[in-house]
Amino acid sequence: MTQDIQKVTREHIDSLLDSAKLDYAVLNECEVAASYKLTARGGYTVFGRAATVDPEEFDLKIGLEIARGVAFKELWIREAYLLTLKKAGLIQTDII
């Protein structure tokens, strides 16, 4: 899919995604964490994680929302970097 984008947008990032996986773990009685794995087409994977200070106050829905935001931001940063290189003429690609 050839794209000629001028800026990275939420829609652009969403169009790259192949799958998403939510997960959470009780690491011990003092630690609870949520993770979110985003896999882009082509297999590139980013992870987002969220943890809590007090496991008794942990809200899984909020934890997964935060973890997804972190993963989404990781992918956004990489796409912005690729676009910067393309605009500078340092790479030639039809990916972005």
Side-chain angles (χ1 to χ4, degrees):
M1 173 188 214
T2 300
Q3 299 183 37
D4 187 22
I5 65 168
Q6 297 302 312
K7 65 180 182 176
V8 178
T9 64
R10 176 171 292 281
E11 293 76 21
H12 171 70
I13 299 296
D14 285 338
S15 76
L16 298 174
L17 298 178
D18 187 42
S19 67
K21 181 182 179 192
L22 304 169
D23 202 2
Y24 75 99
V26 176
L27 305 173
N28 59 48
E29 68 270 1
C30 298
E31 297 177 88
V32 179
S35 68
Y36 201 102
K37 175 184 173 183
L38 293 178
T39 303
R41 292 187 317 255
Y44 188 79
T45 301
V46 293
F47 292 91
R49 293 180 181 85
T52 183
V53 173
D54 183 354
E56 292 188 19
E57 297 293 323
F58 184 72
D59 183 317
L60 181 59
K61 183 178 178 184
I62 293 171
L64 290 173
E65 183 179 310
I66 291 168
R68 184 187 189 286
V70 171
F72 197 87
K73 183 177 179 181
E74 289 295 319
L75 191 53
W76 191 296
I77 290 167
R78 284 153 178 82
E79 286 297 302
Y81 179 65
L82 284 174
L83 181 57
T84 301
L85 292 176
K86 183 177 178 182
K87 285 184 170 187
L90 298 173
I91 61 170
Q92 294 181 358
T93 179
D94 290 334
I95 296 172
I96 187 166

